[in-house]
Amino acid sequence: MSTEIPAKGPGRIRQESIYREGVFGRLPAVPTDFATLEARAQHASTPTAWAYVAGGAGEGRTMRNNRAAFDRWAIVPRMAHGNTTRDLSLDLLGTHLPAPVLLAPVGAGALMAEDSDVKIARGAAANGVPYVFSNQGCNPMEECAAAMGDSPRWVQLYWSTDEALVDSMISRAEAIGAGALVVTLDTTLLGWRPQDLNLGSLPFSRGLGIAQYTADPRFAEIVRDRIAAAGAAGAAGAAGTRAATEVTLGAIRTLLSMTRNHPGSFLDNLRSPEPRAAVETFLDIYSNPGLSWDHLATLRERTKLPVVLKGILHPDDAKRAFGSGVDAIVVSNHGGRQVDNAVASLDALVMVRESVGSEPTVLLDSGIRTGADVFTALALGADAVLLGRPYMYGLAVAGERGVTEVVANVIAELDLTMALAGTADLAAITRDALVPNASA
C-alpha cells in the first residue's frame, strides 16, 4: 500500500486555513453557514438595501419554493470508494474554470457597499470564477474588467427599447473580452416587490445601478437629445417628459443621490440637468416589454460572443432557445423576485434537462446557498450554477474579502461533499447520487 500523501483539495485547504487562524483567535470575515451570514448581512444593511437585495415578489412564495425544492432531495454518500482527489474543473463555453460556479448579476450593489461591482469582480477573480457583470451595475463594465485582469467575465444584457443602445452594450462587452453575453428575459417589467414598494424605494430612481448606461456613448447621446428637445420646447425639468418635482426633503435627497452617482464632479453635476435626465431616460428605455423571439433571432448577426438566455423555466422555451442557436440557457426565476408562486428553478431544471437532453449547456440560478446545493443541482442536470444573494451578503458584511470568502466557502463545501459522497469529478455527480427526501 502506498504511503504517499494525497494532494489537498479546496475543501481541506479552506478548512485548515480557518482552523489555523482560529488557533490565534482570528475568525473568518464572514460566517460559514448561510443563516448566520444572512443575519449578519441584514444587520449591516439599511432597510432600503435589505428590501432590494433580500426581498422577493409578492408574498415571497417563489423564494420559499426555491429552497423547498432543494429540501426535497437527499444526497446518498458512497463509502470505501478509494478516491483521494477531486476534479471540480470544467470547460464552459470555451473557458476552462476551476469550479462549476459563477457569480450572478445583481443590480444596484452599491446599496451594500461602495464600488460594489469592482469588489465583486475582485472576489470572483480571487477564486478564478466568472462574474456576470450586471447590466444594472454601479460600476461600468470596463472598470470591472480592469479589476479582474485575465480572469473570466461575462456580461448581462437587458434589452433596451433603443436598438442602437443594445448594439452599443454588445460592442462594449466584446471590447472587454467577455466570455458570453447573458440576455435576461424575465425582467421586461419589474415584478410586484412589496418590500421595495412599502418603502417607496427604487434604487435606479436615485441614480444607483445605472452606471452601465451613464458610461455608454449611445445612452449619453440619447440624454443630450432629450435635454436639447426639452430646452427647445421651453419645458421645465431636465428631460421634459414629467412634471416638475415637488420640492420636499425626500426630493432633495434624491437629487443629491443622482448627483453623487452620476459621472463627473459633484458640483458640476449639481448645476447640470444631466443627472436627472439620465435617470428619467433610463427608467423610460432600460427594458423592452415587447421583447420577443424575433428580437433574439438578431443576436447571431450582432455578436460573435456565445449567447446565453437567462430566465428560462418552461421546457418548450428551452427547446426553442436551443433551436434558435443560442449557446446556453440559465434556468432561473430571478431569485424569486419577479413572479410570486412561480415554479422553483430546481424543479424547472429537472423538466428542462429531460426535455433538451444531455448535450446542451444548462445552468441553474436561484436558490443556491451552499456547496451541497451545488452538488444537488449538478446531480439534477445543471452544468454549473450562478450564486447570487450569498455573495451579496458577504459584500455587505466584509466587502471584497467577504465576497472572496463566501465563494471560497461554497467551493470548499462542494469539494468536501464530493469527497464524502465518493464522486471524483463533476461527471460522476449524477441523479444516482440523490434520492427523494422522505422528511421533506
Side-chain angles (χ1 to χ4, degrees):
M1 300 290 288
S2 173
T3 58
E4 181 180 351
I5 299 175
K8 296 176 183 177
R12 285 188 64 188
I13 292 172
R14 179 70 183 140
Q15 269 186 337
E16 291 179 6
S17 172
I18 292 174
Y19 289 141
R20 191 178 300 113
E21 290 295 299
V23 170
F24 300 99
R26 293 190 287 264
L27 302 180
V30 295
T32 59
D33 68 291
F34 181 76
T36 310
L37 172 65
E38 185 174 46
R40 287 269 303 278
Q42 183 173 10
H43 180 74
S45 303
T46 65
T48 53
W50 191 250
Y52 184 79
V53 175
E59 299 302 305
R61 287 174 290 186
T62 305
M63 293 174 64
R64 294 194 293 275
N65 289 349
N66 282 337
R67 290 308 306 156
F70 280 95
D71 291 340
R72 285 194 291 272
W73 294 96
I75 299 169
V76 185
R78 300 299 300 271
M79 300 297 116
H81 45 74
N83 295 328
T84 59
T85 60
R86 274 83 48 209
D87 183 3
L88 279 65
S89 68
L90 74 161
D91 293 312
L92 189 63
L93 302 187
T95 301
H96 189 73
L97 303 180
V101 176
L102 300 85
L103 301 196
V106 179
L111 288 166
M112 293 301 205
E114 188 177 352
D115 282 331
S116 53
D117 299 82
V118 169
K119 292 172 181 173
I120 296 164
R122 289 175 178 152
N127 289 281
V129 300
Y131 172 31
V132 184
F133 296 163
S134 173
N135 202 141
Q136 317 301 62
C138 297
N139 298 91
M141 65 179 82
E142 293 82 3
E143 210 174 302
C144 296
M148 294 193 80
D150 294 331
S151 292
R153 77 292 308 255
W154 294 6
V155 171
Q156 180 193 35
L157 175 70
Y158 277 93
W159 204 288
S160 171
T161 56
D162 186 89
E163 290 293 323
L165 179 57
V166 172
D167 285 329
S168 183
M169 292 282 191
I170 293 173
S171 295
R172 291 169 61 204
E174 293 174 339
I176 63 163
L181 185 71
V182 182
V183 183
T184 294
L185 307 178
D186 57 13
T187 318
T188 53
L189 297 167
L190 288 179
W192 187 255
R193 301 176 184 175
Q195 291 91 334
D196 293 325
L197 291 165
N198 290 343
L199 296 171
S201 173
L202 181 66
F204 314 120
S205 67
R206 295 186 284 120
L208 277 172
I210 67 171
Q212 302 296 13
Y213 296 81
T214 56
D216 191 275
R218 170 57 186 164
F219 184 80
E221 179 183 10
I222 298 169
V223 171
R224 288 193 299 269
D225 288 347
R226 287 169 67 111
I227 293 173
T241 58
R242 288 173 170 78
T245 302
E246 180 185 353
V247 179
T248 66
L249 183 59
I252 293 171
R253 287 173 179 157
T254 297
L255 180 61
L256 291 175
S257 177
M258 291 179 186
T259 304
R260 279 193 304 271
N261 289 302
H262 196 76
S265 83
F266 179 83
L267 289 178
D268 288 345
N269 287 340
L270 198 58
R271 292 187 287 263
S272 169
E274 281 197 15
R276 183 182 169 195
V279 168
E280 297 280 359
T281 303
F282 167 83
L283 293 173
D284 281 344
I285 72 171
Y286 84 94
S287 192
N288 187 347
L291 181 63
S292 69
W293 289 102
D294 290 338
H295 289 92
L296 300 173
T298 67
L299 282 171
R300 288 277 61 109
E301 303 169 359
R302 299 167 91 152
T303 184
K304 294 181 180 179
L305 293 177
V307 173
V308 182
L309 299 186
K310 181 175 181 288
I312 299 290
L313 293 169
H314 196 287
D316 289 350
D317 287 342
K319 287 191 288 188
R320 183 159 189 175
F322 287 119
S324 69
V326 305
D327 299 278
I329 63 171
V330 182
V331 176
S332 169
N333 57 33
H334 212 93
R337 293 166 55 76
Q338 282 299 92
V339 176
D340 190 27
N341 204 28
V343 61
S345 290
L346 190 69
D347 291 339
L349 170 68
V350 174
M351 296 186 293
V352 164
R353 183 54 87 185
E354 289 175 352
S355 174
V356 302
S358 61
E359 289 303 314
T361 300
V362 177
L363 312 182
L364 178 75
D365 168 280
S366 305
I368 299 288
R369 299 290 178 262
T370 68
D373 291 342
V374 179
F375 185 98
T376 299
L378 298 179
L380 292 175
D383 291 294
V385 305
L386 280 70
L387 195 66
R389 286 186 179 94
Y391 82 75
M392 288 297 293
Y393 294 168
L395 177 70
V397 172
E400 178 185 330
R401 182 180 171 191
V403 175
T404 301
E405 288 198 9
V406 166
V407 178
N409 290 344
V410 170
I411 294 172
E413 187 183 358
L414 171 62
D415 178 52
L416 293 173
T417 302
M418 290 174 62
L420 296 168
T423 49
D425 55 28
L426 301 185
I429 306 176
T430 66
R431 182 79 70 92
D432 291 340
L434 306 178
V435 295
N437 189 349
S439 64

mmCIF file of all heavy atoms in Angstrom, residues 15-46:
data_model
loop_
_atom_site.group_PDB
_atom_site.id
_atom_site.type_symbol
_atom_site.label_atom_id
_atom_site.label_comp_id
_atom_site.label_asym_id
_atom_site.label_seq_id
_atom_site.Cartn_x
_atom_site.Cartn_y
_atom_site.Cartn_z
ATOM 1 N N GLN A 15 -10.711 24.639 4.993
ATOM 2 C CA GLN A 15 -10.918 24.225 6.386
ATOM 3 C C GLN A 15 -9.683 24.485 7.238
ATOM 4 O O GLN A 15 -9.755 25.093 8.314
ATOM 5 C CB GLN A 15 -11.234 22.722 6.441
ATOM 6 C CG GLN A 15 -12.692 22.361 6.362
ATOM 7 C CD GLN A 15 -12.879 20.865 6.586
ATOM 8 O OE1 GLN A 15 -11.951 20.062 6.373
ATOM 9 N NE2 GLN A 15 -14.053 20.475 7.018
ATOM 10 N N GLU A 16 -8.550 23.994 6.759
ATOM 11 C CA GLU A 16 -7.317 24.103 7.540
ATOM 12 C C GLU A 16 -6.908 25.559 7.729
ATOM 13 O O GLU A 16 -6.386 25.930 8.786
ATOM 14 C CB GLU A 16 -6.207 23.292 6.879
ATOM 15 C CG GLU A 16 -6.449 21.790 6.972
ATOM 16 C CD GLU A 16 -5.360 20.985 6.290
ATOM 17 O OE1 GLU A 16 -4.358 21.601 5.851
ATOM 18 O OE2 GLU A 16 -5.508 19.747 6.189
ATOM 19 N N SER A 17 -7.163 26.378 6.715
ATOM 20 C CA SER A 17 -6.850 27.796 6.845
ATOM 21 C C SER A 17 -7.664 28.437 7.965
ATOM 22 O O SER A 17 -7.132 29.197 8.780
ATOM 23 C CB SER A 17 -7.131 28.511 5.519
ATOM 24 O OG SER A 17 -7.012 29.902 5.661
ATOM 25 N N ILE A 18 -8.949 28.106 8.014
ATOM 26 C CA ILE A 18 -9.816 28.681 9.050
ATOM 27 C C ILE A 18 -9.401 28.177 10.434
ATOM 28 O O ILE A 18 -9.286 28.957 11.384
ATOM 29 C CB ILE A 18 -11.285 28.324 8.770
ATOM 30 C CG1 ILE A 18 -11.768 29.042 7.500
ATOM 31 C CG2 ILE A 18 -12.170 28.701 9.960
ATOM 32 C CD1 ILE A 18 -13.157 28.638 7.051
ATOM 33 N N TYR A 19 -9.151 26.887 10.542
ATOM 34 C CA TYR A 19 -8.765 26.324 11.850
ATOM 35 C C TYR A 19 -7.401 26.850 12.297
ATOM 36 O O TYR A 19 -7.178 27.087 13.492
ATOM 37 C CB TYR A 19 -8.760 24.799 11.791
ATOM 38 C CG TYR A 19 -10.151 24.197 11.693
ATOM 39 C CD1 TYR A 19 -10.398 23.091 10.881
ATOM 40 C CD2 TYR A 19 -11.210 24.723 12.423
ATOM 41 C CE1 TYR A 19 -11.655 22.533 10.786
ATOM 42 C CE2 TYR A 19 -12.476 24.156 12.334
ATOM 43 C CZ TYR A 19 -12.689 23.077 11.521
ATOM 44 O OH TYR A 19 -13.952 22.520 11.443
ATOM 45 N N ARG A 20 -6.496 27.034 11.352
ATOM 46 C CA ARG A 20 -5.170 27.547 11.698
ATOM 47 C C ARG A 20 -5.277 28.979 12.230
ATOM 48 O O ARG A 20 -4.638 29.336 13.221
ATOM 49 C CB ARG A 20 -4.257 27.503 10.470
ATOM 50 C CG ARG A 20 -2.790 27.773 10.781
ATOM 51 C CD ARG A 20 -1.934 27.673 9.532
ATOM 52 N NE ARG A 20 -2.000 26.348 8.929
ATOM 53 C CZ ARG A 20 -2.552 26.096 7.737
ATOM 54 N NH1 ARG A 20 -3.084 27.081 7.038
ATOM 55 N NH2 ARG A 20 -2.569 24.874 7.256
ATOM 56 N N GLU A 21 -6.095 29.786 11.574
ATOM 57 C CA GLU A 21 -6.307 31.147 12.053
ATOM 58 C C GLU A 21 -6.997 31.140 13.418
ATOM 59 O O GLU A 21 -6.741 32.006 14.265
ATOM 60 C CB GLU A 21 -7.152 31.932 11.046
ATOM 61 C CG GLU A 21 -6.443 32.255 9.746
ATOM 62 C CD GLU A 21 -5.267 33.187 9.971
ATOM 63 O OE1 GLU A 21 -5.480 34.311 10.455
ATOM 64 O OE2 GLU A 21 -4.124 32.776 9.678
ATOM 65 N N GLY A 22 -7.860 30.148 13.627
ATOM 66 C CA GLY A 22 -8.562 30.047 14.902
ATOM 67 C C GLY A 22 -7.632 29.822 16.079
ATOM 68 O O GLY A 22 -7.934 30.235 17.214
ATOM 69 N N VAL A 23 -6.512 29.182 15.834
ATOM 70 C CA VAL A 23 -5.520 28.978 16.895
ATOM 71 C C VAL A 23 -5.061 30.317 17.468
ATOM 72 O O VAL A 23 -4.771 30.439 18.661
ATOM 73 C CB VAL A 23 -4.321 28.175 16.351
ATOM 74 C CG1 VAL A 23 -3.179 28.156 17.356
ATOM 75 C CG2 VAL A 23 -4.751 26.758 15.991
ATOM 76 N N PHE A 24 -5.031 31.326 16.615
ATOM 77 C CA PHE A 24 -4.579 32.651 17.035
ATOM 78 C C PHE A 24 -5.746 33.573 17.405
ATOM 79 O O PHE A 24 -5.570 34.766 17.596
ATOM 80 C CB PHE A 24 -3.750 33.294 15.922
ATOM 81 C CG PHE A 24 -2.524 32.500 15.560
ATOM 82 C CD1 PHE A 24 -2.522 31.649 14.457
ATOM 83 C CD2 PHE A 24 -1.383 32.581 16.337
ATOM 84 C CE1 PHE A 24 -1.398 30.913 14.119
ATOM 85 C CE2 PHE A 24 -0.245 31.845 16.014
ATOM 86 C CZ PHE A 24 -0.255 31.002 14.910
ATOM 87 N N GLY A 25 -6.933 32.988 17.472
ATOM 88 C CA GLY A 25 -8.097 33.775 17.853
ATOM 89 C C GLY A 25 -8.688 34.600 16.727
ATOM 90 O O GLY A 25 -9.500 35.489 16.968
ATOM 91 N N ARG A 26 -8.293 34.288 15.489
ATOM 92 C CA ARG A 26 -8.811 35.040 14.343
ATOM 93 C C ARG A 26 -9.922 34.252 13.662
ATOM 94 O O ARG A 26 -9.731 33.077 13.324
ATOM 95 C CB ARG A 26 -7.675 35.341 13.357
ATOM 96 C CG ARG A 26 -6.635 36.305 13.921
ATOM 97 C CD ARG A 26 -5.671 36.762 12.840
ATOM 98 N NE ARG A 26 -4.727 35.718 12.458
ATOM 99 C CZ ARG A 26 -3.501 35.595 12.951
ATOM 100 N NH1 ARG A 26 -3.071 36.438 13.891
ATOM 101 N NH2 ARG A 26 -2.693 34.642 12.534
ATOM 102 N N LEU A 27 -11.045 34.892 13.470
ATOM 103 C CA LEU A 27 -12.214 34.240 12.892
ATOM 104 C C LEU A 27 -12.368 34.615 11.423
ATOM 105 O O LEU A 27 -11.833 35.627 10.969
ATOM 106 C CB LEU A 27 -13.469 34.637 13.672
ATOM 107 C CG LEU A 27 -13.470 34.314 15.163
ATOM 108 C CD1 LEU A 27 -14.792 34.769 15.794
ATOM 109 C CD2 LEU A 27 -13.238 32.825 15.399
ATOM 110 N N PRO A 28 -13.139 33.812 10.657
ATOM 111 C CA PRO A 28 -13.398 34.177 9.262
ATOM 112 C C PRO A 28 -14.075 35.542 9.166
ATOM 113 O O PRO A 28 -14.777 35.971 10.096
ATOM 114 C CB PRO A 28 -14.333 33.065 8.768
ATOM 115 C CG PRO A 28 -14.148 31.934 9.716
ATOM 116 C CD PRO A 28 -13.798 32.539 11.036
ATOM 117 N N ALA A 29 -13.885 36.216 8.035
ATOM 118 C CA ALA A 29 -14.511 37.531 7.842
ATOM 119 C C ALA A 29 -16.019 37.412 7.756
ATOM 120 O O ALA A 29 -16.740 38.332 8.141
ATOM 121 C CB ALA A 29 -13.962 38.190 6.580
ATOM 122 N N VAL A 30 -16.494 36.278 7.245
ATOM 123 C CA VAL A 30 -17.931 36.063 7.118
ATOM 124 C C VAL A 30 -18.294 34.712 7.726
ATOM 125 O O VAL A 30 -17.485 33.772 7.725
ATOM 126 C CB VAL A 30 -18.387 36.106 5.646
ATOM 127 C CG1 VAL A 30 -18.176 37.484 5.052
ATOM 128 C CG2 VAL A 30 -17.661 35.047 4.810
ATOM 129 N N PRO A 31 -19.511 34.563 8.247
ATOM 130 C CA PRO A 31 -19.941 33.266 8.768
ATOM 131 C C PRO A 31 -19.922 32.208 7.670
ATOM 132 O O PRO A 31 -20.156 32.509 6.497
ATOM 133 C CB PRO A 31 -21.372 33.531 9.248
ATOM 134 C CG PRO A 31 -21.424 34.996 9.500
ATOM 135 C CD PRO A 31 -20.521 35.614 8.472
ATOM 136 N N THR A 32 -19.667 30.972 8.049
ATOM 137 C CA THR A 32 -19.575 29.895 7.072
ATOM 138 C C THR A 32 -20.897 29.180 6.852
ATOM 139 O O THR A 32 -20.983 28.307 5.987
ATOM 140 C CB THR A 32 -18.502 28.864 7.493
ATOM 141 O OG1 THR A 32 -18.856 28.334 8.772
ATOM 142 C CG2 THR A 32 -17.127 29.517 7.564
ATOM 143 N N ASP A 33 -21.931 29.513 7.615
ATOM 144 C CA ASP A 33 -23.272 28.972 7.355
ATOM 145 C C ASP A 33 -24.154 30.097 6.857
ATOM 146 O O ASP A 33 -23.993 31.264 7.217
ATOM 147 C CB ASP A 33 -23.870 28.359 8.616
ATOM 148 C CG ASP A 33 -24.189 29.402 9.668
ATOM 149 O OD1 ASP A 33 -23.238 29.992 10.231
ATOM 150 O OD2 ASP A 33 -25.378 29.661 9.915
ATOM 151 N N PHE A 34 -25.143 29.751 6.022
ATOM 152 C CA PHE A 34 -25.925 30.785 5.357
ATOM 153 C C PHE A 34 -26.818 31.551 6.321
ATOM 154 O O PHE A 34 -26.963 32.783 6.201
ATOM 155 C CB PHE A 34 -26.779 30.172 4.240
ATOM 156 C CG PHE A 34 -27.586 31.204 3.507
ATOM 157 C CD1 PHE A 34 -26.980 32.052 2.587
ATOM 158 C CD2 PHE A 34 -28.943 31.353 3.765
ATOM 159 C CE1 PHE A 34 -27.719 33.027 1.926
ATOM 160 C CE2 PHE A 34 -29.683 32.327 3.108
ATOM 161 C CZ PHE A 34 -29.064 33.168 2.184
ATOM 162 N N ALA A 35 -27.428 30.884 7.278
ATOM 163 C CA ALA A 35 -28.359 31.567 8.177
ATOM 164 C C ALA A 35 -27.677 32.692 8.948
ATOM 165 O O ALA A 35 -28.209 33.808 9.058
ATOM 166 C CB ALA A 35 -28.993 30.563 9.135
ATOM 167 N N THR A 36 -26.486 32.415 9.478
ATOM 168 C CA THR A 36 -25.763 33.444 10.226
ATOM 169 C C THR A 36 -25.259 34.531 9.293
ATOM 170 O O THR A 36 -25.282 35.723 9.638
ATOM 171 C CB THR A 36 -24.592 32.825 11.000
ATOM 172 O OG1 THR A 36 -25.056 31.698 11.745
ATOM 173 C CG2 THR A 36 -23.985 33.829 11.962
ATOM 174 N N LEU A 37 -24.822 34.140 8.100
ATOM 175 C CA LEU A 37 -24.389 35.118 7.102
ATOM 176 C C LEU A 37 -25.536 36.071 6.767
ATOM 177 O O LEU A 37 -25.356 37.297 6.723
ATOM 178 C CB LEU A 37 -23.919 34.398 5.829
ATOM 179 C CG LEU A 37 -23.607 35.275 4.616
ATOM 180 C CD1 LEU A 37 -22.420 36.174 4.885
ATOM 181 C CD2 LEU A 37 -23.356 34.400 3.378
ATOM 182 N N GLU A 38 -26.709 35.524 6.558
ATOM 183 C CA GLU A 38 -27.867 36.344 6.225
ATOM 184 C C GLU A 38 -28.200 37.308 7.359
ATOM 185 O O GLU A 38 -28.465 38.493 7.127
ATOM 186 C CB GLU A 38 -29.065 35.441 5.917
ATOM 187 C CG GLU A 38 -30.300 36.180 5.440
ATOM 188 C CD GLU A 38 -31.390 35.225 5.013
ATOM 189 O OE1 GLU A 38 -31.652 34.252 5.749
ATOM 190 O OE2 GLU A 38 -31.998 35.441 3.946
ATOM 191 N N ALA A 39 -28.181 36.813 8.586
ATOM 192 C CA ALA A 39 -28.492 37.662 9.738
ATOM 193 C C ALA A 39 -27.472 38.787 9.880
ATOM 194 O O ALA A 39 -27.824 39.943 10.157
ATOM 195 C CB ALA A 39 -28.547 36.816 11.007
ATOM 196 N N ARG A 40 -26.188 38.465 9.698
ATOM 197 C CA ARG A 40 -25.143 39.481 9.804
ATOM 198 C C ARG A 40 -25.295 40.521 8.692
ATOM 199 O O ARG A 40 -25.079 41.723 8.909
ATOM 200 C CB ARG A 40 -23.766 38.824 9.729
ATOM 201 C CG ARG A 40 -23.358 38.036 10.972
ATOM 202 C CD ARG A 40 -22.608 38.909 11.971
ATOM 203 N NE ARG A 40 -21.424 39.524 11.381
ATOM 204 C CZ ARG A 40 -20.239 38.924 11.244
ATOM 205 N NH1 ARG A 40 -20.075 37.668 11.673
ATOM 206 N NH2 ARG A 40 -19.217 39.569 10.716
ATOM 207 N N ALA A 41 -25.647 40.062 7.506
ATOM 208 C CA ALA A 41 -25.807 40.982 6.382
ATOM 209 C C ALA A 41 -26.982 41.926 6.613
ATOM 210 O O ALA A 41 -26.899 43.122 6.321
ATOM 211 C CB ALA A 41 -25.995 40.208 5.082
ATOM 212 N N GLN A 42 -28.068 41.400 7.149
ATOM 213 C CA GLN A 42 -29.213 42.257 7.424
ATOM 214 C C GLN A 42 -28.857 43.326 8.460
ATOM 215 O O GLN A 42 -29.245 44.491 8.323
ATOM 216 C CB GLN A 42 -30.405 41.439 7.906
ATOM 217 C CG GLN A 42 -31.651 42.278 8.150
ATOM 218 C CD GLN A 42 -32.877 41.458 8.464
ATOM 219 O OE1 GLN A 42 -32.799 40.243 8.700
ATOM 220 N NE2 GLN A 42 -34.039 42.090 8.459
ATOM 221 N N HIS A 43 -28.101 42.929 9.462
ATOM 222 C CA HIS A 43 -27.679 43.871 10.492
ATOM 223 C C HIS A 43 -26.799 44.975 9.908
ATOM 224 O O HIS A 43 -26.850 46.134 10.355
ATOM 225 C CB HIS A 43 -26.931 43.131 11.605
ATOM 226 C CG HIS A 43 -26.464 44.021 12.716
ATOM 227 N ND1 HIS A 43 -27.327 44.562 13.658
ATOM 228 C CD2 HIS A 43 -25.224 44.495 13.028
ATOM 229 C CE1 HIS A 43 -26.638 45.309 14.502
ATOM 230 N NE2 HIS A 43 -25.365 45.290 14.147
ATOM 231 N N ALA A 44 -26.006 44.608 8.885
ATOM 232 C CA ALA A 44 -25.071 45.561 8.287
ATOM 233 C C ALA A 44 -25.721 46.447 7.232
ATOM 234 O O ALA A 44 -25.099 47.414 6.772
ATOM 235 C CB ALA A 44 -23.896 44.813 7.659
ATOM 236 N N SER A 45 -26.958 46.151 6.841
ATOM 237 C CA SER A 45 -27.603 46.836 5.717
ATOM 238 C C SER A 45 -28.645 47.845 6.184
ATOM 239 O O SER A 45 -29.242 47.693 7.255
ATOM 240 C CB SER A 45 -28.286 45.807 4.802
ATOM 241 O OG SER A 45 -27.379 44.835 4.339
ATOM 242 N N THR A 46 -28.893 48.831 5.365
ATOM 243 C CA THR A 46 -30.002 49.750 5.611
ATOM 244 C C THR A 46 -31.308 49.042 5.245
ATOM 245 O O THR A 46 -31.305 48.063 4.484
ATOM 246 C CB THR A 46 -29.877 51.016 4.753
ATOM 247 O OG1 THR A 46 -30.006 50.652 3.365
ATOM 248 C CG2 THR A 46 -28.545 51.707 4.987
#
